[in-house]
């Protein structure tokens, strides 16, 4: 037994902030951002919460799958920007949906969070522990950005993507995931410093801090190997895969991965021009856009792959 995606949905924060908008509030330009990243604009939340974005994406995925909330037995939300320390975003979404038969928990694996969640659901279904699972990647990253740090804040956006996975004979064929906590110090957000009366708190630590070049090097060194591993495991040639749906961090990272695999860029659909990097939400948003454009047919093989803070990474080969 494995798991098959039977529905997708997504929901972006309503307000779009273009590179030109940013250049009015910081020393940057459309030319600098677009040429280095492929990003033109990003959705930024005003009143929307992570729970709201997650719930809207979940409702769209459930409608697409023709599954009712009561039929779900598992809800996982991948996020680093839950509205609360507790309860988990998955519990808040469960309440919003009325999915009272479902167990619910969050996974924090940053931009690889959706892949870690998919791998978890795969394991649940292989073990016969779940029949219908909802996985959501949801983020309001704009609230953990240092808006005076132009090298980082221009990259990220706010939104959510969701999939419904059903236990099935076909679907997910192989998964790989890994972590490297030693190099992970290059991308951090320490948002709960000790603030008891005995210590002083450095509030600057509450925002994302990133060594962009270290993250770039990590991504291009780990992602091709992770994808090759699942292809080799399943005797699949890179050209047998119709689309490679990768985390939308940076167009140049995708171009290097494509070159490593010997695959042309038209098999790497993108959203980053209008979404920026929405961390755990980026892969399900991309998958939803690909589905809504009618680009996938039953039996197509696709690879999903994510990478990010931790460092963490994960890849999955599936038959649609
Ligand atoms: N606008 C204009 N100039 C900027 C800028 C901005 N938004 N951000 C940084 N700069 C400047 C720097 O200050 C530096 O100026 P200097 O040469 O005078 O010191 C110059 O641009 C080059 O900076 P550098 O950091 O070397 O740029 P880069 O080519 O490495 O690109 C990233 C920076 C962040 C775009 C790139 O490293 C990257 O995409 N890394 C991966 C990050 C990522 O995807 N993270 C999430 C993964 S999940």
């Amino acid at each position: 037994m494995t798991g098959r995606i039977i529905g997708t949905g997504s929901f972006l924060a309503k307000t779009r902030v273009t590179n030109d908008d940013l250049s009015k509030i910081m020393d940057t330009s459309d030319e600098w951002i677009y040429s280095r990243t492929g990003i033109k604009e990003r959705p930024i939340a005003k009143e929307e919460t992570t729970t709201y974005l997650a719930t809207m994406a979940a409702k769209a995925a459930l409608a697409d799958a023709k599954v009712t909330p009561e039929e779900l037995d598992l809800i996982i939300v991948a996020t680093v920007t839950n509205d609360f320390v507790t309860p988990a975003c998955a519990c808040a979404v469960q309440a919003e949906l009325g999915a009272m038969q479902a167990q619910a928990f969050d996974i924090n694996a940053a931009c690889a969070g959706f892949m870690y969640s998919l791998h978890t659901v795969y394991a649940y279904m292989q073990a016969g522990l779940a029949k219908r699972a909802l996985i959501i990647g949801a983020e309001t990253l704009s609230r953990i950005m240092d808006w005076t740090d132009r090298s980082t804040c221009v990259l990220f956006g706010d939104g959510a993507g969701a999939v419904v996975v059903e236990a099935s004979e076909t679907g997910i064929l192989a998964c790989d995931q890994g972590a490297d906590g030693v190099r992970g110090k290059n991308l951090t957000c320490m948002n709960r410093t000790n603030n008891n009366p005995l210590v002083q708190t450095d509030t600057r630590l509450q925002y994302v801090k990133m060594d962009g070049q270290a993250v770039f090097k990590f991504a291009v060194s780990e992602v091709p190997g992770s994808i090759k591993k699942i292809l080799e495991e399943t005797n699949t040639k890179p050209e047998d895969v119709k689309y490679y749906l990768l985390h939308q961090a940076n167009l140049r990272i995708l171009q290097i991965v494509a070159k490593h695999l010997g695959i042309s860029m038209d098999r790497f659909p993108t959203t980053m021009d209008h979404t920026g990097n929405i961390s755990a939400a980026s892969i399900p948003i991309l998958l939803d856009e690909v589905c809504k454009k009618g680009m996938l047919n039953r039996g197509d093989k696709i690879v999903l792959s994510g990478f990010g803070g931790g460092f963490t990474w994960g890849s999955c080969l599936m038959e649609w």
Side-chain angles (χ1 to χ4, degrees):
M1 195 57 81
T2 180
R4 191 168 82 83
I5 293 178
I6 59 165
T8 64
S10 60
F11 194 85
L12 303 179
K14 201 167 84 192
T15 307
R16 302 302 168 98
V17 175
T18 65
N19 293 345
D20 287 335
D21 293 334
L22 290 178
S23 70
K24 289 177 194 137
I25 56 169
M26 65 186 74
D27 183 13
T28 190
S29 65
D30 178 52
E31 199 282 326
W32 193 96
I33 300 171
Y34 186 66
S35 64
R36 279 178 173 74
T37 66
I39 298 167
K40 278 267 173 206
E41 61 175 44
R42 72 285 294 141
I44 296 290
K46 280 185 171 168
E47 66 285 343
E48 299 104 324
T49 61
T50 299
T51 305
Y52 173 73
L53 297 170
T55 304
M56 296 305 282
K59 285 181 176 171
L62 287 168
D64 189 43
K66 299 186 178 54
V67 166
T68 63
E70 299 76 22
E71 291 175 300
L72 294 171
D73 47 19
L74 174 62
I75 300 174
I76 302 180
V77 177
T79 185
V80 292
T81 48
N82 184 18
D83 302 317
F84 309 98
V85 174
T86 190
C89 187
C91 295
V93 172
Q94 182 220 29
E96 290 290 327
L97 296 176
M100 302 318 288
Q101 305 307 316
Q103 51 185 311
F105 58 91
D106 290 356
I107 284 183
N108 177 340
C111 302
F114 180 79
M115 300 312 304
Y116 267 63
S117 304
L118 193 61
H119 203 155
T120 303
V121 165
Y122 177 46
Y124 265 69
M125 290 187 171
Q126 281 185 315
L129 294 175
K131 285 202 175 81
R132 275 190 209 90
L134 173 66
I135 308 175
I136 309 164
E139 305 284 8
T140 46
L141 294 162
S142 61
R143 66 178 169 184
I144 57 166
M145 287 301 129
D146 175 354
W147 288 93
T148 64
D149 175 6
R150 64 178 181 169
S151 67
T152 302
C153 70
V154 301
L155 305 176
F156 296 94
D158 301 331
V163 300
V164 178
V165 186
E166 188 170 63
S168 161
E169 292 300 326
T170 156
I172 298 170
L173 302 172
C175 287
D176 170 63
Q177 67 186 27
D180 180 347
V182 174
R183 283 187 288 172
K185 63 181 184 305
N186 292 300
L187 175 50
T188 58
C189 179
M190 189 186 283
N191 79 338
R192 280 194 294 282
T193 47
N194 192 340
N195 65 350
N196 73 42
L198 305 180
V199 293
Q200 283 190 334
T201 299
D202 182 348
T203 51
R204 284 173 305 168
L205 293 174
Q206 295 181 2
Y207 299 107
V208 169
K209 214 166 160 287
M210 180 179 73
D211 177 339
Q213 290 185 3
V215 177
F216 196 100
K217 280 185 202 144
F218 145 71
V220 298
S221 69
E222 293 300 341
V223 175
S226 173
I227 294 175
K228 281 180 186 164
K229 193 169 161 193
I230 53 173
L231 294 182
E232 277 162 22
E233 243 173 63
T234 53
N235 287 320
T236 308
K237 295 195 206 82
E239 56 273 24
D240 295 339
V241 174
K242 187 166 184 189
Y243 293 118
Y244 291 83
L245 304 179
L246 266 59
H247 171 48
Q248 300 289 293
N250 184 309
L251 187 63
R252 288 185 298 141
I253 292 177
L254 270 53
Q255 287 163 340
I256 294 171
V257 174
K259 205 167 160 203
H260 271 286
L261 295 170
I263 291 295
S264 106
M265 273 305 283
D266 32 312
R267 296 210 197 185
F268 285 72
T270 60
T271 64
M272 87 260 297
D273 62 333
H274 60 280
T275 60
N277 176 348
I278 315 188
S279 192
S282 84
I283 294 172
I285 290 170
L286 171 64
L287 180 62
D288 186 47
E289 290 200 9
V290 163
C291 290
K292 296 295 170 330
K293 286 181 188 157
M295 292 163 65
L296 286 177
N297 296 310
R298 194 81 198 259
D300 286 343
K301 284 191 175 142
I302 58 171
V303 162
L304 312 183
S305 186
F307 50 88
F311 288 150
T312 53
W313 63 91
S315 304
C316 172
L317 171 70
M318 64 176 72
E319 194 172 77
W320 195 247

